[in-house]
Amino acid sequence: MQTLEAIAKRKSTRDFDPNRAVSEEIVDTIVKAGCQAPIGANQHESLHLTVCTNREILDEINRTTAAAMNMEVRDFFYGAPAAIFVSASDKQMAPGIEYANAACVIENMLITATDAGVDNIYLWGGVQGLAKNKALCEKMGIPEGFRPVSAAAIGYSKSGEAQPRELSISLEVNFI
C-alpha cells in the first residue's frame, strides 16, 4: 500500500474484536514506525512506549479512568486486544511539546497499522485516569518521572475492513 492510500483508508475504529490479536511481528513493526517520528529537538529520551496486551490491566485502566472522570465504567479501548501508550518525561523543553511529540509518534503508528491491515484509534481521554494512578503506572512499567499522555488502540474491527476515502481538503486553508 502506498502512503497516501494508507492515509485515505485510516479510520478510527470503535468496534474491535477482542478475541483477534495482532501478531507480535506486526506490533513490532508498528512500534518501530512510532520510533521514527519527528521528536522536538530530537529528544527521544523524553518519551517512553508501553505495549499492553493484558486485558486485566486494560480493564483496570478503564475502572481507574472512569473513577477519575466521575463516570460509569466503560471500555475506553473499544474492545481492542492491544494498546500502545506514549508516556512523556516530566522534563520537557517547552510547555505542551509532549503532546505534539506523542501525536507524531501515534500518527506514524496508526498509518503503519493501517498499511498492515490493522484497525486502530487514537486515544486521549482514557489515558487521563491512568496518568493519575501512580501504582498502575508502576505496574505497567512506565518509568519514574514519566506520565502517559496518549495511546493508540490496535486490533481488527468486527464490522470489516475500512474503505478508502478520497483525499480532500476538509479543514479551512488559506494560501498566501
Side-chain angles (χ1 to χ4, degrees):
M1 187 178 305
Q2 296 294 317
T3 303
L4 292 179
E5 282 180 81
I7 290 170
K9 190 172 182 180
R10 203 214 72 74
K11 71 173 182 117
S12 294
T13 299
R14 292 178 176 86
D15 68 340
F16 291 98
D17 180 347
N19 300 311
R20 191 167 170 213
V22 179
S23 75
E24 285 184 32
E25 180 182 8
I26 292 175
V27 171
D28 188 55
T29 298
I30 291 168
V31 169
K32 285 177 182 173
C35 292
Q36 300 309 305
I39 305 298
N42 203 29
Q43 294 195 343
H44 289 264
E45 70 280 357
S46 70
L47 297 176
H48 177 83
L49 302 181
T50 302
V51 179
C52 181
T53 57
N54 183 315
R55 190 71 235 178
E56 289 176 10
I57 290 178
L58 293 175
D59 288 342
E60 189 173 348
I61 295 167
N62 286 330
R63 290 188 300 275
T64 298
T65 297
M69 297 173 80
N70 197 29
M71 63 188 300
E72 298 265 335
V73 176
R74 69 177 184 90
D75 187 356
F76 290 97
F77 304 101
Y78 304 101
I84 305 168
F85 296 86
V86 180
S87 298
S89 167
D90 292 335
K91 297 175 181 146
Q92 295 293 322
M93 62 181 253
I97 196 167
E98 65 271 27
Y99 294 103
N101 288 336
C104 289
V105 169
I106 290 174
E107 180 69 1
N108 272 17
M109 293 192 299
L110 299 183
I111 297 300
T112 301
T114 299
D115 186 59
V118 176
D119 298 301
N120 52 77
I121 188 169
Y122 187 110
L123 302 170
W124 182 79
V127 177
Q128 301 315 300
L130 171 60
K132 296 175 183 176
N133 188 321
K134 185 174 174 116
L136 187 51
C137 286
E138 286 176 12
K139 185 177 188 177
M140 292 177 63
I142 296 170
E144 181 73 31
F146 282 73
R147 65 180 165 60
V149 293
S150 296
I154 59 173
Y156 299 96
S157 173
K158 290 179 188 174
S159 61
E161 189 174 339
Q163 298 303 308
R165 301 174 306 268
E166 184 176 325
L167 291 179
S168 64
I169 296 176
S170 60
L171 302 173
E172 190 171 320
V173 178
N174 69 304
F175 295 89
I176 301 172

